[in-house]
Amino acid sequence: MPHSTDPYEDDLPSPQPVHYAEQSLLGALLLEPHRLPDIRVLEADQFSNHTHGALFQAMRTVPLPDPEAHRSDPAWLNAVLDAARPQAPGLTISYLHTLVQVCQWPQHAPTYARMIQSDHARRTLLIRAQRLAQTAADAALPNRAVATLGQADALAQFLDTLAGQFTPHPGSLPRTVLPKQPTARSSEEALDEERILLSTATAHPAALKGMRWLQPDDFTRSLHAALWQCLTSLVHRAEPVDPVTVLWEAQHRGLLAGDLAAGDLMALVTAPVGSAEYWGERILQRALLTRACDVATRVAAYAEDPANTPHQLINGSRRALADLTALRTRWQRSTAPTPPTAPRAPRSPAVARAGPPPRATTTRALR
């Protein structure tokens, strides 16, 4: 019967490849501790197995033995075991010997360390993507959009950190097949806000000139997006805007070809409430949060695919975040306070310039 290579085999699922990389690295360091200084960039919390991380940290804590004495004296192994046991009580000396037996190529220790780093980067990226999705979906947050953008910034900063740790490969993109996004069901609240915006914008079309930050793609229903285009087109052409002109524009755009009756469309744009800017900001914020969820789903799909290299994860995640940037810029433009107009200072009356001094009249001139 083959000997187990895991102290908690009964409690863990089938080991992943990184598990064997961790075992090989630890075995190499137990066999040849003088290689520890070559593994400076690796940290104990980057191990997927807590016991392995505790053992690695203990190796760094215990002073290195003399290479010749270490070949025949297990004192250093016992010291490492004693240092690791407070954090890993189930660790045994037999498992340390198993790790030594597992590693056949101690000289490959730096490569094993990079494997562990890569897998840790993938797991951390997945956690950050999940945080982004959870924040965007948390309706209890007082300022959900700001909190969501904060998580997006944290994700971008993490990608910048990864880019400095791994060798770049320009043009390398993930090969992950992204899951199809389920057809989003518009909430009744979102539909009501869009209807109110269309009615309010019809009643106060002058507000549309300052609402270029709102785009048809921000609406959850295609009919509402098309009616918004009708309104913006009328305003752009400086034509009168009222329910009748909107209906006429909608007819030219083919919006009445289906089941939508003219009377229904008229009723849709004849119930204004409040200001168009307020409802536009609400719609844009909802679109921002939806886009953030989509970005988080893409990044999580990349991170869950172990076939992706760290640089593929970086490139794919950055492209996903770029899709959020344009919408973020429009949202910030919509919520930016209007700069106060400073009153003009009264113009002071012009001061007459002093002329040249009068010419002195000499006695000779008088003569």
Side-chain angles (χ1 to χ4, degrees):
M1 181 176 180
H3 186 71
S4 171
T5 59
D6 195 312
Y8 307 122
E9 183 181 26
D10 295 337
D11 300 329
L12 293 175
S14 178
Q16 298 296 318
V18 68
H19 178 80
Y20 299 100
E22 293 178 2
Q23 286 188 323
S24 298
L25 173 64
L26 295 174
L29 298 178
L30 290 172
L31 187 62
E32 300 179 1
H34 66 275
R35 297 186 182 276
L36 264 170
D38 299 333
I39 318 296
R40 298 176 182 175
V41 296
L42 188 64
E43 300 296 336
D45 59 359
Q46 294 179 330
F47 285 77
S48 64
N49 184 299
H50 173 74
T51 300
H52 291 168
L55 182 58
F56 180 74
Q57 184 62 34
M59 292 182 191
R60 284 185 163 177
T61 304
V62 179
L64 295 179
D66 178 74
E68 292 298 329
H70 180 65
R71 293 180 180 179
S72 57
D73 187 357
W76 188 76
L77 292 181
N78 293 329
V80 168
L81 179 62
D82 292 339
R85 271 181 172 168
Q87 299 297 326
L91 192 61
T92 62
I93 190 65
S94 63
Y95 186 62
L96 267 62
H97 289 296
T98 299
L99 293 175
V100 172
Q101 295 173 2
V102 165
C103 182
Q104 303 294 324
W105 306 276
Q107 67 274 19
H108 296 170
T111 301
Y112 301 146
R114 287 194 296 271
M115 294 177 183
I116 297 169
Q117 276 188 298
S118 298
D119 193 76
H120 175 262
R122 184 178 61 82
R123 298 194 311 271
T124 306
L125 181 61
L126 176 60
I127 292 173
R128 292 187 177 274
Q130 291 171 343
R131 287 178 184 172
L132 175 60
Q134 291 169 358
T135 304
D138 189 356
L141 290 175
N143 200 336
R144 189 164 29 146
V146 174
T148 299
L149 293 178
Q151 291 294 338
D153 289 339
L155 177 56
Q157 292 173 2
F158 175 69
L159 293 173
D160 292 341
T161 302
L162 288 186
Q165 295 177 352
F166 296 94
T167 304
H169 300 284
S172 180
L173 293 174
R175 296 182 293 271
T176 305
V177 178
L178 295 175
K180 292 184 178 180
Q181 294 291 341
T183 303
R185 295 185 60 184
S186 302
S187 66
E188 194 60 35
E189 180 184 8
L191 294 176
D192 285 342
E193 290 176 353
E194 292 176 3
R195 296 186 193 106
I196 295 174
L197 170 64
L198 295 172
S199 296
T200 306
T202 302
H204 308 286
L208 272 67
K209 295 181 180 180
M211 295 179 61
R212 295 181 180 178
W213 36 262
L214 188 63
Q215 300 295 324
D217 291 341
D218 300 329
F219 289 79
T220 60
R221 190 177 178 187
S222 58
L223 173 62
H224 296 168
L227 289 175
W228 179 253
Q229 288 180 308
C230 293
L231 285 165
T232 55
S233 296
L234 290 172
V235 172
H236 179 72
R237 299 196 303 263
E239 296 184 7
V241 178
D242 59 41
V244 177
T245 59
V246 173
L247 174 64
W248 194 255
E249 181 73 15
Q251 177 179 255
H252 285 298
R253 291 175 178 264
L255 301 184
L256 301 179
D259 298 333
L260 181 64
D264 295 335
L265 194 149
M266 289 275 290
L268 187 61
V269 294
T270 53
V273 177
S275 68
E277 291 88 348
Y278 171 79
W279 298 112
E281 290 178 12
R282 296 271 299 179
I283 293 169
L284 184 57
Q285 176 174 308
R286 193 183 305 276
L288 176 73
L289 297 174
T290 301
R291 181 70 58 83
C293 287
D294 294 342
V295 168
T297 300
R298 288 172 57 186
V299 175
Y302 296 148
E304 289 175 340
D305 185 358
N308 289 322
T309 65
H311 202 69
Q312 287 175 321
L313 293 177
I314 294 169
N315 284 345
S317 299
R318 280 177 168 173
R319 284 203 172 191
L321 282 174
D323 292 342
L324 182 63
T325 301
L327 207 156
R328 172 183 188 161
T329 301
R330 291 194 285 115
W331 180 79
Q332 291 175 334
R333 192 182 307 161
S334 72
T335 56
T338 304
T341 304
R344 288 187 175 184
R347 298 182 61 181
S348 57
V351 179
R353 293 184 178 181
R359 298 178 62 182
T361 305
T362 62
T363 305
R364 182 178 298 178
L366 293 175
R367 292 178 181 176

